[in-house]
Structure formats: C-alpha cells, structure tokens
C-alpha cells in the first residue's frame, strides 16, 4: 500500500464488516444449493428474478445459490465460496482483488447477471477484442438461463451489428471500442443513427490496467483532411544538433530542452531572429520542439518500430506493437520525418476522450484484477472506488525469491541467461518478462545461441498470443514476453491440456523471471501472478542492476557501500531496500503526474458534458429551426415553401455541424495551448491557472461562434425539400473517419509526451 496506510488502517473496521457479511451470505447460498438444484431452468430463473424484484437484490443468498446452480449446470463450474463473496463485493460497486487463475471470468459474469436482473444494463470491459468475444461466448449459457441477453462488441463489427449488440442486457467489449462508439455517436445528425445504448454499470476486467495504467490514454476520432506536413528543413536542422551542447535530456528521460547555444544554432540555420519571439513561439518553436523530441527521446525499437515503410508504435505498458495507436499528430509526423518515411496524412481530430473520462460516464463502476491493493490510492482518488481483497481458494504455493542485484547491466544480463539455461536444463518451464520488444529480441537471440528454443511474444495478435501463453507452462518451455502480452489467459501446468502436469509439478511449476523491476510494484506483481495459480507450485524472481532506469532515476544514495562478487552480484539487504525505495519514488512521481494531468483534463471533461447536453437537445427536440428562424427571419420567410420536416432537419444539421466543428477547433486550440503553456512555464508563470483561464474564455466564445456561424450558413446555403446542401458550400463532414489511441506514453512514464512534459514541471 502507499502513503495512505494510516488511513486504510483506520478504515479497516468498516471493510471488515462488509467482508464478514459477504462471507455469511455466501455460506447461506452454499446451504441452499442442494435444494435449488431440484428446480428446472425456468423455475430457477423465476426464483432468481423474484430475488431481484423492484430493481433491488433482496435475498442475496438465494440469488447467489440460483446462479451457482446455473453455473454448474450450464458451464460445469460450481462456484467456490470465495467466488460468491467476490460477486457480492462487485454488486456493491467495489474493485475486487482476486489472484490470477481464481476464476474472475465466472465471477464477472455472475455479477453482471445480478445487475442485469435488477434491470441495469452492464458493459463488461475487457482489455482486448479476443477476450470480449471469448468471455461472452463462454458465459452465454449462464446468462441466458435467466432470460437475459448477452453479446460482444469487437473491432470488426459493423455499425448495424453493434447497434443490435448494444441493446443486450450484458455487453462484453474492449474499452477502446466502447469509447470509439461514444465518440462516433457524438457526430450523428439524427437520433436513429445512435449506435450505443446507455449502460448503467461498467464492470472492468483488469481494472488497474484500464482505470490506472491507461487512464490518461486518449481515444481519438479523426476525419480526413490533408495534413500539415512538418517541414523537412526543420527536421534536417534538428537532426544535426548534439546532445549536451545543443540540447539536454532530463535525467528521467522525459523532457528535452534546447540549450542557449542550441537555440542560437537553430535560429541561425533557419534564418530567424528568435525562436521565442511572439511570431515564432506558437509555430516554429513548437515544430522544433517536436522534431527534437522525436530525435532525442523516441528511440527506434524501443518506442516504435518501422515496418514496411510504416511507423508502428510500441505500447509502453504492454511492450508490444499497438496497431491503433498514433502519437499526437505533430509528433507522429516528426518521427516519420526523422525516419525518412512518407509523412502520413494528418487528418483532423474531431473528438477525443480519455479512458478515465469514459469510465466516469458510467453511473456505477466496479472491477476486478489480480493487483488492486497497490492501486488503492489511485482508485480512491480518481474514481472513489473501494478495494476488496478476496482470499485465495487454495493457499499460494509459489516461492517469491528475493531480487538478485548486480552492479552492471551486462553482468545482470549474463546472470539472466545463465539462470534460464539452468532452469531449462531441468525441464522446468520458464516465463521471462522483459521491459520492451528490443530486450525480448536480444534475450531470445542470446538463448538461441545456447541452443535453447524460445517462444517470443510481442507483436502478434491477441488470439495468437493467447494460444502461445496458454502453453507456457509446458515442460521445457521458455517463453519471453513483454509485460502484458497474453494477459487474461490462464497458464496451466503441463500445457493447455495439462497432459504433462505431474512432470511439471515435480520440477517446481512455472518459474517467472523479471529482467528488471517495473515502474510500480503492481506491475511486478502482475508478472509474478502468472505463476502459482490455484495452489500450483511455482517460483518468481527478479533481476536488477544498479544501471537499470528505475534505479538511476529513482534516487541516489552515496552512503551505500557494497562489494560485488566476481560475477557482479551484490548481496546486501541495504541494496535491496534501496531498490525498493527507488521504485516507491517512481510510483510517487507517476501518481503526481496522473494527478496533475487530471487537473488539465478535468476542465475539458466538464466542458464536454455541456456540449453533450446541447447536442442531445439539438438532436431530440427542435430548437434549431426556432433559433435560426428567429435570428434570420428574412431567410426563414424565403423558405416558406419548403416542407416543415425538411426545414427542421436542415436547421438541425447546420447547427450540429458548427457545434461539432467549434468543439474540434476548441480541442485543437487547447492542445496547442498545452504545448505553449509548457514553454511559458519556463518563464515561471503558473501553467494550470493560465490554461484554465484560456479554456474558459475560449469555451464561451465557442458557443457564440457556433451559433453565429450557423446563422451565416443558414443565410447562404441552399435549403430545399432534400434538406441543407452543406457539401456544395464546402462544409461537408469528413467523408471518412478513423479511430486510434494515442500511445499512453512514448517515454515509459504515463500520459502522452506532451502531458509527460507538463508533468515534469511539477516535480
Ligand atoms: P482469472 O481471470 O481469474 O485469471 P479465469 O477466469 O481465466 O481466471 O479462470 C481460470 C480457470 O479456472 C479457468 O480454466 C476456469 O475454467 C477455472 N475455474 C473458474 N472457476 C472455477 C470453479 N468454480 N471450479 C472449477 N474451475 C473453475
């Protein structure tokens, strides 16, 4: 737990009471199972429904027993006592911590069924398409027993199919698809085009990933438009700058700053007076900064790869290629220019929403994960969520070895290879968690040279990954994977069919090795959790070097004395404690960045709510025609012959068009302001206040401008029985739209690059 230990201790009594209550209800359910097993499906469903009459779950024991009977009958899974407890905590709106392999999929489906029986529509939020589909199909027989409908929404589904799916009681969908549908639904011009039906509950799988790690990731809806290509000249000039002389990189590797000499050099080569002049600060300087950022901070094969002439981002928290992700437009173009690739069409951003903002739209949020406790502070601070820890069904048999610390990275790497070789020689399966794709590949190469066959997981698709990871527990396997690849898939000992289980158990189960400690203990524990499921034997072990980023960035301690052994290993309690300290420092920094970025996002989130309301009002009622006719009575009179319905639709389309355009402009402007605020902050102004002041002022103008522009269009555009001919006046909506996620952080921190830069200022 974090800095709020004292607080949680004080809170202990109430959560303990909840815990006791849940346990006794679950016990009560267990006693009813035998009796209810005698009921046929229809009677069972009726019994469960009667527990949920009036939109509230009354007799929870009976309700749980009905679900347990159905789960055993339809899925062949009789819920464990702890699973029933977990269901209750979810129904109370908590985030539950349940270890990997304890059966969260069933728990989630039972809780979703409970919510649905009380008339609530539930979105079960998954981390990818593959899991959405798998879980919906797996759990379908259970849900349908109670006369409820279930569907999954995945990337490939057409708008019509989605619309149908969203009408179900329970919808499994990856978080980005849910967000993209929200964004697309905010571009429609008549109500029947709406795709997503409102939901009451978000039940989030891998809750810490979605709600914390990726909370600040913006989902983006963009529309076609020729992009503003960044000038090759600036890229060229910047490519010749030298580290230390012309620019410096902060120690945490998150910000790069031009030195005075560097600035002079750029000014000289570009033939301009000053980068910081009023004329240049918002244009040339921004481009120079982007180019510099691309050159100095974004490293090929760590932050991105180049594949067939295209740039593909690597998702920092998963360490794998993120197909849907782009950097903010300017940065993407800057990296493309740096690599000499064709600069992709920019398009324009129509709308964006962060995962955090998306999740906060649901009246009820609850979730499940193997690692919630370490995210307690964030879940409380950002979502007002409480964490409930659910006991394991079988005691943990995994042995967590103390970190092995080495003086240098080279010595550490050598030790890792040697350890894998030793484990592999005994036939024990090994899963190695690396920090990034480049490291995975280096390691795989080193092992291949020793004749060890390795399965590397990084850039493959989710389904393929799931298949490989499911086999990671087989005898003699070595699997190398970046952090999250294949998450959500069970690793059974002896292979997916468990045929070699006895042999693997005898060899000690799955050994999980971490090639360094992660930015947070939570990420470490996610990796550890892949071993030791349901009472299986297992081993976890992390390697650390004093040259690791975490240690270099996390702190200094001159008083540390140590004598590395011949192989570079340092065996000292104080050094181990120091590594833990460095991790806590980094955790604190991440929390601070999150909190600060949240402040930046919050104002826009509030403004979006106002825009959403206005939009809904324009869509569902007819104020548009009235407003426009009042503002331009002469024009209204000219249209006397046009049928009423066509006039109303035309007015609506015009007002929606300008509302959406103004909002997109607003987002773009505020994005620029964020960047220049970062520059202004160097001049010691308080950036957040300044940002707020501008956002409020601009938002007021936005509203006025949207109306003024609508009146102007109303006066000039052709309107007849077919509605308003916006296309003829060059006011068409983009003919094509596409969606993507902005990389959660090119710099292995949190937030995107620009946000990272801002975060920095507050330390
Ligand atoms: P988690 O998501 O918590 O890691 P899963 O939902 O993938 O776990 O379930 C892990 C495994 O446990 C699955 O193979 C599932 O079939 C099995 N399982 C879950 N609940 C039960 C149960 N009550 N009885 C027997 N097996 C179960």
């Amino acid at each position: 737990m974090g800095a709020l230990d004292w607080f949680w201790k004080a809170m202990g009594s109430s959560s303990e009471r909840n815990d006791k209550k849940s346990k006794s209800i679950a016990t009560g359910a267990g006693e009813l199972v035998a009796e209810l097993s005698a009921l046929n499906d229809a009677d069972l469903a009726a019994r469960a429904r009667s527990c949920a009459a009036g939109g509230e779950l009354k007799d929870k024991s009976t309700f749980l027993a009905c679900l347990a009977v159905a789960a055993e009958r339809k899925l062949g899974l009789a819920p464990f006592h702890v699973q029933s407890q977990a269901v209750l905590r979810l129904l109370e709106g908590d985030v539950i911590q349940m270890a990997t392999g304890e059966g969260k999929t069933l728990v989630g489906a039972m809780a979703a069924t409970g919510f649905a029986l009380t008339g609530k529509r539930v979105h079960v939020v998954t981390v990818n398409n593959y899991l959405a589909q798998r879980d919906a199909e797996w759990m379908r027989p259970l849900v349908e027993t109670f006369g409820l409908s279930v569907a999954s929404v995945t990337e490939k589904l057409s708008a019509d199919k989605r619309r149908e799916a969203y009408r179900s009681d329970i919808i499994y969908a990856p978080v980005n698809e849910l967000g993209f549908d929200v964004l697309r639904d905010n571009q429609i011009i008549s109500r029947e085009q709406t795709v997503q039906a409102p939901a009451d509950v978000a039940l989030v799988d891998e809750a810490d990933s979605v709600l914390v790690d990726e909370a600040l990731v913006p989902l983006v809806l963009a529309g076609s438009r020729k992009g503003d290509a960044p000038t090759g000249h600036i890229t060229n000039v910047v490519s010749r700058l030298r580290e230390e002389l012309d620019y410096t990189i902060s120690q945490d590797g998150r910000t790069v700053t031009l030195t005075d000499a560097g600035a002079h050099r750029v000014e000289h080569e570009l033939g301009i007076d000053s980068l910081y002049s009023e004329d240049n600060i918002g244009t040339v300087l921004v481009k120079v900064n982007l180019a510099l950022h691309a050159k100095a901070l974004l490293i090929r094969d760590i932050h991105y790869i180049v594949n067939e002439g295209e740039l593909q981002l690597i998702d920092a928290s998963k360490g794998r290629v993120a197909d849907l992700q782009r950097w903010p437009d300017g940065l993407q173009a800057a990296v493309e220019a740096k690599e000499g690739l064709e600069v992709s069409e920019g398009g324009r951003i129509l709308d964006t929403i962060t995962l955090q903002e998306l999740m906060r739209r649901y009246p009820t949020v609850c979730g499940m994960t193997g690692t919630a406790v370490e995210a307690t502070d964030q879940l409380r601070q950002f979502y007002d969520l409480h964490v409930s820890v659910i006991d394991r069904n079988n005691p943990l048999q995994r042995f967590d070895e103390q970190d092995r610390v080495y003086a240098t990275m080279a010595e550490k790497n050598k030790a890792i290879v040697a350890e894998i070789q030793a484990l592999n020689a005994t036939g024990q399966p090994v899963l190695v968690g690396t920090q990034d794709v480049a490291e995975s590949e280096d390691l795989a190469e080193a092992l291949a040279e020793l004749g060890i066959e390795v399965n590397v997981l990084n850039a493959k698709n989710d389904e393929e990954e799931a298949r490989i990871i499911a086999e990671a527990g087989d005898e003699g396997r070595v699997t190398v994977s970046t952090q999250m690849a294949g998450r959500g898939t069970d690793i059974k000992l002896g292979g997916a069919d468990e045929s070699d289980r006895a042999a693997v158990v005898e060899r000690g189960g799955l050994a999980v090795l971490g090639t360094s400690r992660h930015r947070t203990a939570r990420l470490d524990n996610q990796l550890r959790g892949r071993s030791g499921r349901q009472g299986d034997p297992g081993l976890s072990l992390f390697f650390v070097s004093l040259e690791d980023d975490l240690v270099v960035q996390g702190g200094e301690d001159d008083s540390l004395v140590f004598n590395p052994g011949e192989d570079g290993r340092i065996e000292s309690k104080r050094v181990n404690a120091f590594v833990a300290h460095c991790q806590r420092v980094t955790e604190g920094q991440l929390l601070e960045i999150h909190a600060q970025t949240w402040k930046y996002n919050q104002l826009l989130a509030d403004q979006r709510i106002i825009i959403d309301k206005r939009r809904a009002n324009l869509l569902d009622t007819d104020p548009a025609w009235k407003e426009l006719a009042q503002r331009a009575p002469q024009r209204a009179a000219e249209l006397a012959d046009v049928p009423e319905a066509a006039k109303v639709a035309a007015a609506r389309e015009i007002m929606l068009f300008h509302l959406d355009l103004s909002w997109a402009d607003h987002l773009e402007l505020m994005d620029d302001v964020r960047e220049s605020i970062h520059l202004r902050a160097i001049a010691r102004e308080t950036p957040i206040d300044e940002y707020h002041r501008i956002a409020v002022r601009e938002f007021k103008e936005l509203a006025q401008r949207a109306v003024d522009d609508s009146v102007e269009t109303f006066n000039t555009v052709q309107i007849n029985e077919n509605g308003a001919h916006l296309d003829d006046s060059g006011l068409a909506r983009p003919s094509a739209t596409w969606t993507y996620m902005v990389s959660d952080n090119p710099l292995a921190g949190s937030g995107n690059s620009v946000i990272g830069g801002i975060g920095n200022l507050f330390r």
Side-chain angles (χ1 to χ4, degrees):
M1 261 201 252
L4 288 177
D5 275 354
W6 59 271
F7 178 73
W8 295 114
K9 281 206 185 102
M11 292 284 290
S13 50
S14 80
S15 64
E16 235 164 67
R17 239 189 342 266
N18 284 337
D19 196 36
K20 277 201 186 121
K21 213 166 133 201
S22 301
K23 281 183 179 157
S24 88
I25 294 173
T27 305
E31 288 160 4
L32 285 165
V33 167
E35 176 196 331
L36 293 176
S37 297
L39 299 179
N40 65 22
D41 284 5
D43 290 341
L44 195 63
R47 189 69 178 267
R49 284 198 172 271
S50 73
C51 302
E56 207 186 322
L57 271 184
K58 292 197 189 80
D59 182 353
K60 291 183 182 163
S61 288
T62 306
F63 159 78
L64 277 178
C66 290
L67 279 167
V69 170
E72 180 158 21
R73 194 178 286 170
K74 302 290 170 172
L75 305 174
L77 301 173
F80 305 125
H81 192 266
V82 283
Q83 285 178 308
S84 293
Q85 270 173 52
V87 171
L88 290 171
R89 302 313 314 148
L90 283 175
L91 289 169
E92 295 290 327
D94 280 358
V95 171
I96 54 159
Q97 165 157 312
M98 256 182 122
T100 316
E102 292 284 300
K104 287 189 281 295
T105 316
L106 176 60
V107 166
M110 288 170 70
T113 305
F115 281 120
L117 280 172
T118 61
K120 294 189 167 127
R121 180 177 284 125
V122 187
H123 287 172
V124 182
V125 182
T126 63
V127 284
N128 62 41
N129 290 292
Y130 164 72
L131 291 173
Q133 194 171 0
R134 185 199 73 177
D135 292 354
E137 291 318 313
W138 185 9
M139 294 296 136
R140 176 181 299 285
L142 172 70
V143 176
E144 289 183 346
T145 304
F146 296 96
L148 298 165
S149 54
V150 55
S152 59
V153 169
T154 53
E155 192 185 345
K156 299 242 150 56
L157 230 54
S158 68
D160 283 342
K161 288 258 163 57
R162 278 170 195 252
R163 196 173 291 125
E164 199 181 308
Y166 277 123
R167 279 204 226 104
S168 306
D169 298 304
I170 299 172
I171 299 102
Y172 283 79
V175 65
N176 50 355
E177 292 305 318
L178 291 169
F180 292 149
D181 283 327
V182 167
L183 294 177
R184 283 188 287 246
D185 274 351
N186 267 338
Q187 300 286 321
I188 58 172
I189 53 171
S190 73
R191 190 43 98 188
E192 65 274 11
Q193 294 170 324
T194 307
V195 164
Q196 200 174 73
D200 307 288
V201 182
L203 195 163
V204 189
D205 194 9
E206 310 288 4
D208 55 332
S209 293
V210 174
L211 298 176
V212 178
D213 297 334
E214 308 210 321
L216 302 175
V217 174
L219 298 171
V220 180
L221 178 72
S224 49
R225 189 186 70 168
K226 278 263 170 250
D228 314 316
T231 63
H233 189 41
I234 289 181
T235 308
N236 259 334
V237 170
V238 170
S239 74
R240 289 192 293 272
L241 298 180
R242 295 146 303 170
E243 190 174 345
E244 295 307 328
L245 289 175
D246 299 322
Y247 63 88
T248 53
I249 297 177
S250 65
Q251 199 183 23
D252 64 6
R254 282 213 188 90
T255 3
V256 53
T257 317
L258 277 177
T259 60
D260 284 347
H264 287 315
R265 184 169 168 169
V266 172
E267 285 158 358
H268 176 71
E269 295 203 19
L270 291 177
I272 56 174
D273 270 357
S274 163
L275 277 170
Y276 302 94
S277 72
E278 199 60 25
D279 281 351
N280 293 331
I281 198 158
T283 53
V284 182
L285 183 57
V286 169
K287 284 187 184 160
V288 168
N289 269 313
L290 286 171
L292 188 58
H293 191 123
K295 169 186 159 71
L297 302 184
L298 298 180
I299 303 163
R300 188 165 167 164
D301 291 334
I302 290 184
H303 301 117
Y304 63 92
I305 57 175
V306 176
N307 188 11
E308 295 181 2
E310 265 191 51
L311 200 64
Q312 289 182 312
L313 267 63
I314 294 169
D315 183 318
S317 71
K318 300 194 183 80
R320 31 180 300 235
V321 166
D323 284 335
L324 278 174
Q325 301 199 351
R326 284 173 64 93
W327 283 308
D329 269 337
L331 192 56
Q332 178 91 8
V335 179
E336 283 166 347
K338 162 184 159 190
E339 291 293 339
L341 304 172
E342 198 177 320
V343 174
S344 57
E345 214 175 84
R348 90 160 294 180
I349 291 176
L350 302 174
D351 204 355
T352 73
I353 190 169
T354 60
L355 296 193
Q356 180 158 324
E357 207 183 329
L358 178 68
M359 284 300 131
R360 286 172 56 108
R361 292 165 66 95
Y362 291 87
T364 303
V365 177
C366 59
M368 34 193 204
T369 168
T371 41
V373 169
E374 306 94 329
T376 301
D377 292 356
Q378 285 97 327
L379 292 170
R380 172 115 202 148
Q381 189 172 340
F382 300 119
Y383 303 93
D384 202 16
L385 283 170
H386 179 79
V387 171
S388 281
V389 179
I390 308 294
D391 294 336
R392 287 171 189 269
N393 190 43
N394 290 305
L396 181 67
Q397 301 288 345
R398 185 185 68 223
F399 180 65
D400 297 327
E401 211 182 290
Q402 186 159 62
D403 294 353
R404 290 194 199 160
V405 183
Y406 292 81
T408 68
M409 193 103 74
E411 285 157 342
K412 178 185 83 168
N413 289 339
K414 222 167 136 189
I416 292 171
V417 172
E419 182 69 22
I420 296 171
Q421 190 179 22
L423 289 167
N424 179 251
T426 71
Q428 185 168 9
V430 186
L431 174 69
V432 189
T434 64
Q435 296 284 325
D436 53 56
V437 180
E439 192 186 1
S440 285
E441 281 171 359
D442 287 351
L443 181 59
E445 211 171 289
L447 291 168
E449 275 170 24
L450 296 173
I452 298 173
E453 199 188 318
V454 185
N455 295 291
V456 186
L457 255 95
N458 45 43
K460 307 221 173 60
N461 68 47
D462 295 324
E463 195 165 350
E464 171 85 0
E465 269 180 14
R467 206 181 47 69
I468 297 177
I469 203 92
E471 296 295 340
D474 204 358
E475 200 177 355
R477 285 257 172 174
V478 177
T479 310
V480 176
S481 158
T482 46
Q483 173 59 8
M484 302 261 297
R487 234 189 140 182
T489 303
D490 222 15
I491 305 182
K492 292 182 174 151
L493 298 187
D497 60 1
E498 303 185 78
S499 55
D500 296 326
R501 184 177 163 84
V504 174
V505 168
E506 196 175 314
R507 287 168 177 76
L510 177 67
V512 169
L513 306 189
T515 57
S516 41
R517 292 276 295 263
H518 295 85
R519 287 171 286 145
T520 70
R522 191 161 46 77
L523 295 173
D524 291 343
N525 289 340
Q526 284 176 4
L527 180 62
R528 280 191 217 281
R530 308 219 66 154
S531 167
R533 64 182 277 286
Q534 295 189 4
D536 284 348
L539 165 77
S540 83
L541 164 61
F542 282 79
F543 290 81
V544 180
S545 94
L546 298 185
E547 292 174 353
D548 287 359
D549 286 350
L550 180 82
V551 180
V552 174
Q553 289 166 15
E556 273 169 48
D557 187 349
D558 294 338
S559 69
L560 276 184
V561 243
F562 45 79
N563 302 305
E566 208 142 272
D567 56 357
R569 180 150 178 208
I570 303 164
E571 292 184 78
S572 141
K573 278 208 177 102
R574 279 197 59 195
V575 170
N576 281 72
F578 175 66
V579 170
H581 162 81
C582 291
Q583 191 177 47
R584 280 195 300 276
V585 170
T586 308
E587 284 172 351
Q589 288 171 350
L590 289 172
L591 183 58
E592 180 63 12
I593 290 179
H594 194 154
Q596 290 297 346
T597 311
W598 175 237
K599 283 192 199 158
Y600 275 85
N601 290 346
Q602 187 50 42
L603 189 69
L604 284 184
D606 291 345
Q607 292 181 339
R608 166 193 295 285
I609 293 171
I610 298 172
I611 294 283
D612 278 3
K613 278 205 184 118
R614 166 82 174 154
R615 222 179 180 280
N617 192 27
L618 284 169
L619 273 176
D620 298 330
T621 62
D622 295 331
W625 169 252
K626 282 189 210 111
E627 270 185 61
L628 291 178
Q630 202 177 23
R631 293 256 193 155
Q634 208 177 338
R635 175 69 172 153
E638 281 167 32
L639 299 172
D641 293 342
V642 178
E644 186 70 15
K647 283 195 291 203
V648 168
R652 172 180 296 146
E653 191 176 346
I654 291 171
M655 292 204 92
L656 285 171
F657 177 85
H658 286 292
L659 182 69
D660 295 344
L661 188 66
S662 311
W663 175 244
D665 284 345
H666 185 62
L667 290 177
E668 195 171 288
L669 177 81
M670 293 317 296
D671 212 41
D672 286 351
V673 171
R674 247 186 219 217
E675 273 177 49
S676 55
I677 284 279
H678 168 46
L679 304 171
R680 272 180 229 195
I682 293 165
R684 305 262 173 255
E685 288 178 37
T686 48
I688 187 81
D689 294 343
E690 177 78 353
Y691 180 84
H692 274 197
R693 200 179 55 70
I694 298 173
V696 169
R697 185 189 72 208
E698 292 295 327
F699 189 70
K700 270 193 204 140
E701 283 177 16
L702 175 168
Q704 190 55 47
R705 196 171 54 243
V707 175
D708 291 348
D709 291 351
S710 298
V711 173
E712 159 99 22
T713 301
F714 181 62
N715 272 323
T716 50
V717 84
Q718 192 197 349
I719 296 174
N720 58 21
E721 66 277 13
N722 297 321
H725 292 248
L726 289 174
D727 302 21
D728 303 347
S729 317
L731 295 178
R733 284 176 180 272
S735 51
T737 61
W738 64 92
T739 49
Y740 57 87
M741 292 168 80
V742 174
S743 166
D744 60 339
N745 184 3
L747 304 174
S750 101
N752 68 28
S753 60
V754 179
I755 295 168
I758 289 170
N760 255 325
L761 301 172
F762 299 93
R763 288 203 220 123

